[in-house]
Structures are given as C-alpha cells and as structure tokens.
Amino acid sequence: MKILVIGASGTIGRKLVPALSSTDTIITAGRNSGDIRVDVTDATAIRQLFQEVKGIDACICIAASGPLDNFSTLTEKQLLADMQGKLFGQINLVLIGQHYLNDNGSFTLTSGIFADIPYKGVTGGAIVSGGLHSFVLNAAIELPRGLRINVVSPGMVEDSAKDFGHLFPGLQPVSMQAITDAYRKSIYENNTGQLIKVY
Amino acid sequence: MKILVIGASGTIGRKLVPALSSTDTIITAGRNSGDIRVDVTDATAIRQLFQEVKGIDACICIAASGPLDNFSTLTEKQLLADMQGKLFGQINLVLIGQHYLNDNGSFTLTSGIFADIPYKGVTGGAIVSGGLHSFVLNAAIELPRGLRINVVSPGMVEDSAKDFGHLFPGLQPVSMQAITDAYRKSIYENNTGQLIKVY
C-alpha cells in the first residue's frame, strides 16, 4: 500500500512512520521536512502535492494542535487563525484529495479530546475538533469511488506529557502504541465515518 | 426576566416569542425586523446591541441555517462563507456578550441534527453544528459570573417540513412544541454545557 503521511516529523508521526514502514511504502510530507514539502493551509500546495505523488492508497494527516487561548479576550480573528491548519487544512486535503486518491483509498485525519472533554484555554481547539468530527461523519457518505474517511481523536499523548501535562491536570497520558494502533485501525480495517477516540 | 431573542422572526422564533411573552419581557432582534436590528456576522453591531439593551438575563440566538452544498466541488471559501452567521456569529455573541449579560444570565444557541446525523449536501452545516457543540461544552466552564450556556440542536422542525422535507427523506419532523420546550428548558432550568437534542 502507498501511504502518504502529512506531518510525519511530529510527535505522533515519529512513532507512526516506523510502525507502518515494515509493511507499506511510506511517503512523508511536512512543512519543513519529509520527502515532499507541503503547507496544508495552502490549497494550491495541496493540489500540487496530489498531482506529484500519484497512486496514493491512504492519506494520513497529523496536523499541529492549536495554541492555547484566553476565553475572556478571545476574538473571531484569533479563532479563524487557529482554524487554518487543523480545520480548513485537513478539510481541504479531503475536498481536493477525493479527486486523486486510488479507488477504495482512505483518509485519516486527526482531531483531539477537547471536542468532547472541556478544559480551560482550549476553546479554539475544541471547535476545530468538534467540527472535524461532524465533517468526517458527513464526508463518509459523500466520498466517491469507495473512498473511506476516519478521524483519530487522541487524548494527551505519552510523548507530549512532559511538555503539556501540567496544563491539563487529571488528564492521563495515552501510550504511543495505542495512538499508532488507532491510525492502523483506520488504514487497514474497512470502516468509514469512524471517530476513533484514544482516551 | 429580560430575554433577548435574535432571529425572532424566523420559523422557530415566530413560535418561541409568544411562548415566552406570557411570563417574561422579550426584546426581539433581527437583520430586517424586530425591536432592534442586528447582523450577527458583524462584531461591531453585536457590541452595539449589548451596549444598547442593558440588563439582559437570557440571550437566545436562532440563526439562519446554512445553504446546501455539493461535496465534489465544495471549497474552503464557500465553507467559510457558510460559517459566518451560524458559527462565528453565534460564537461572537457569547465572546462579546459575556461582558454584558446580567450575573447568572444564560446564552442559548442553535445548532442542528447534521452535527451527528449525516445527510448528503449539508457538510458545511454539519461542521458548524459540530463546532458549536464543542464550543458550548468548553464555554460552559469558561464563562464568568455564573453565566450559563446551552445549545438546542433541532431536527427538521414541523413548520419547515413542507419546504425542506423532500430533501431529507427519512427525517421525521419534530413538533414546534418540542422545539420551544427545548429553549424554555435552557432558559429556565439551571443547567449549563447542555446539548439539547430535539430529534
């Protein structure tokens, strides 16, 4: 299987890519590293990516998480900025990629726990993740040619706990193994429209 | 109680306003009608509204629903346009209104069934509603001074079934009584962070 991993050098990507490499052909992509450079906030760059890398069976996006925000001073402008990569970028990957992926290929997007577990300071991230969940449910019944789509919603991943754990007291880290298993589940099982929650 | 109803002349508002008027003081607002004119896509107009109408105990927004879309040709630009009123407008009402409502006041927003029940042609509406649900969960733990927030997620309302029913075969209309009861539940009970689904 030919698998495109966007955001391959991030916390999750660093563990996921080796886990997939033993059985499949992986093409890594990222803003600043990887086989291919791509900025997912740029629709033209996404289109170029799919025109360059032909014959993709699975497209995985592990986008950066949104910054923290302050509810009492939060503005529409900041929210919109925080939505660019993780919401519009991932949606654009699907809207554009639907015309390029191999028949019966799959998209796997990444949301996050704040879609349904509230914490202070993550309003933007929550809206993005909640929006992505509903997008995936709907895209699953819209996609042509047997294409599938799922979204992995990670809790706080083990490898980030040292840096972010203090911001979310009470949130137990989830193992990197559980996270990579969730992406494998999306790619290798034949489900679609699944919200794969890892927490 | 002093209740501000934004979108008072719409399908739901026309039934809700009389249902609340017998016990409370209602101020109606809308783009083209009502006691006060306001365009919720305009942050300045929202701020002006709250400066004008003082002492609000409950702010209800029954925003217009998004247009239908075509998944195979949908673009980021169209999605963003479809999000202006129902997503950013309603969020802005809360972000700005949090500084004006009376202590222990409440916000009641409006999402929709497509957040978790997919239909073809409503991807934008789904993203908006899913995003709103996660926003409300998070805003509930952020709001100051005892302010509450809930969202009513209507299915296809009875009074719209004649116009839209053919687009969503299988979707059973919900009664206007059930819908107005949901808004009353949000205003008069003391819950917060509730997704009140009426379908």
Side-chain angles (χ1 to χ4, degrees):
Chain A
M1 209 185 271
K2 193 166 170 179
I3 303 178
L4 173 68
V5 181
I6 299 169
S9 69
T11 308
I12 294 175
R14 283 195 299 270
K15 293 286 164 71
L16 180 61
V17 170
L20 301 174
S21 294
S22 56
T23 50
D24 294 280
T25 305
I26 311 302
I27 294 140
T28 58
R31 218 167 12 177
N32 305 309
S33 63
D35 302 325
I36 308 269
R37 303 293 150 96
V38 67
D39 175 0
V40 294
T41 65
D42 178 355
T44 308
I46 292 175
R47 193 163 287 110
Q48 214 169 341
L49 166 74
F50 284 118
Q51 282 164 351
E52 231 169 278
V53 187
K54 291 194 165 55
I56 296 170
D57 297 296
C59 171
I60 300 175
C61 187
I62 316 163
S65 52
L68 293 175
D69 44 46
N70 181 330
F71 195 84
S72 68
T73 58
L74 187 60
T75 62
E76 179 180 4
K77 199 175 156 188
Q78 191 193 329
L79 274 179
L80 193 56
D82 295 351
M83 286 180 174
Q84 287 308 317
K86 194 155 178 174
L87 185 65
F88 289 111
Q90 294 199 90
I91 287 175
N92 257 343
L93 271 178
V94 178
L95 293 180
I96 296 169
Q98 68 177 320
H99 303 295
Y100 294 95
L101 251 62
N102 280 348
D103 288 359
N104 307 308
S106 70
F107 294 97
T108 306
L109 308 184
T110 304
S111 60
I113 184 172
F114 303 132
D116 33 46
I117 311 284
Y119 267 79
K120 288 203 174 190
V122 294
T123 299
I127 297 169
V128 163
S129 292
L132 277 174
H133 287 182
S134 296
F135 171 73
V136 164
L137 292 177
N138 277 266
I141 64 167
E142 294 270 16
L143 283 167
R145 302 181 293 108
L147 295 177
R148 298 184 297 110
I149 183 167
N150 300 301
V151 57
V152 173
S153 182
M156 182 169 57
V157 303
E158 191 180 13
D159 289 2
S160 296
K162 208 180 125 200
D163 292 335
F164 299 111
H166 65 287
L167 296 172
F168 308 107
L171 205 51
Q172 294 304 310
V174 293
S175 75
M176 297 313 291
Q177 182 68 50
I179 297 285
T180 56
D181 284 352
Y183 286 89
R184 291 163 58 91
K185 182 183 174 70
S186 172
I187 303 164
Y188 299 120
E189 294 184 0
N190 285 312
N191 293 319
T192 191
Q194 302 293 304
L195 316 182
I196 306 172
K197 301 182 181 185
V198 191
Y199 45 88
Chain B
M1 208 185 272
K2 193 166 171 179
I3 303 177
L4 173 67
V5 181
I6 299 169
S9 68
T11 308
I12 294 175
R14 282 195 300 270
K15 294 287 164 72
L16 181 60
V17 170
L20 300 174
S21 295
S22 56
T23 49
D24 295 280
T25 305
I26 311 301
I27 294 141
T28 58
R31 218 166 11 175
N32 305 309
S33 63
D35 302 325
I36 308 269
R37 303 292 150 99
V38 66
D39 174 359
V40 293
T41 65
D42 178 355
T44 308
I46 293 175
R47 193 164 287 109
Q48 214 169 339
L49 167 74
F50 284 118
Q51 281 164 353
E52 232 169 276
V53 188
K54 292 194 165 54
I56 298 169
D57 297 297
C59 171
I60 300 174
C61 186
I62 316 164
S65 52
L68 292 175
D69 44 46
N70 180 330
F71 195 84
S72 68
T73 57
L74 187 60
T75 62
E76 179 180 5
K77 199 175 157 190
Q78 191 191 329
L79 274 180
L80 193 56
D82 294 352
M83 286 180 175
Q84 287 309 317
K86 194 155 179 173
L87 184 65
F88 289 110
Q90 294 199 90
I91 287 175
N92 257 344
L93 271 178
V94 179
L95 293 180
I96 295 169
Q98 68 176 320
H99 304 295
Y100 294 95
L101 252 61
N102 279 349
D103 288 359
N104 307 309
S106 70
F107 293 97
T108 306
L109 308 184
T110 303
S111 60
I113 185 174
F114 303 132
D116 34 44
I117 311 284
Y119 267 81
K120 288 201 174 190
V122 293
T123 299
I127 298 168
V128 163
S129 292
L132 276 173
H133 287 182
S134 297
F135 172 73
V136 164
L137 292 177
N138 277 266
I141 64 167
E142 295 269 15
L143 283 167
R145 302 182 293 107
L147 295 177
R148 298 184 297 108
I149 182 168
N150 300 301
V151 57
V152 173
S153 182
M156 184 168 57
V157 303
E158 191 180 14
D159 288 2
S160 294
K162 208 181 126 201
D163 292 333
F164 299 111
H166 65 287
L167 297 172
F168 308 107
L171 204 53
Q172 293 304 309
V174 294
S175 75
M176 297 313 291
Q177 182 68 50
I179 297 285
T180 55
D181 284 351
Y183 286 89
R184 290 163 59 91
K185 181 182 174 71
S186 172
I187 302 164
Y188 298 120
E189 294 184 358
N190 285 312
N191 294 318
T192 191
Q194 301 293 304
L195 317 181
I196 307 173
K197 301 181 181 186
V198 191
Y199 48 86

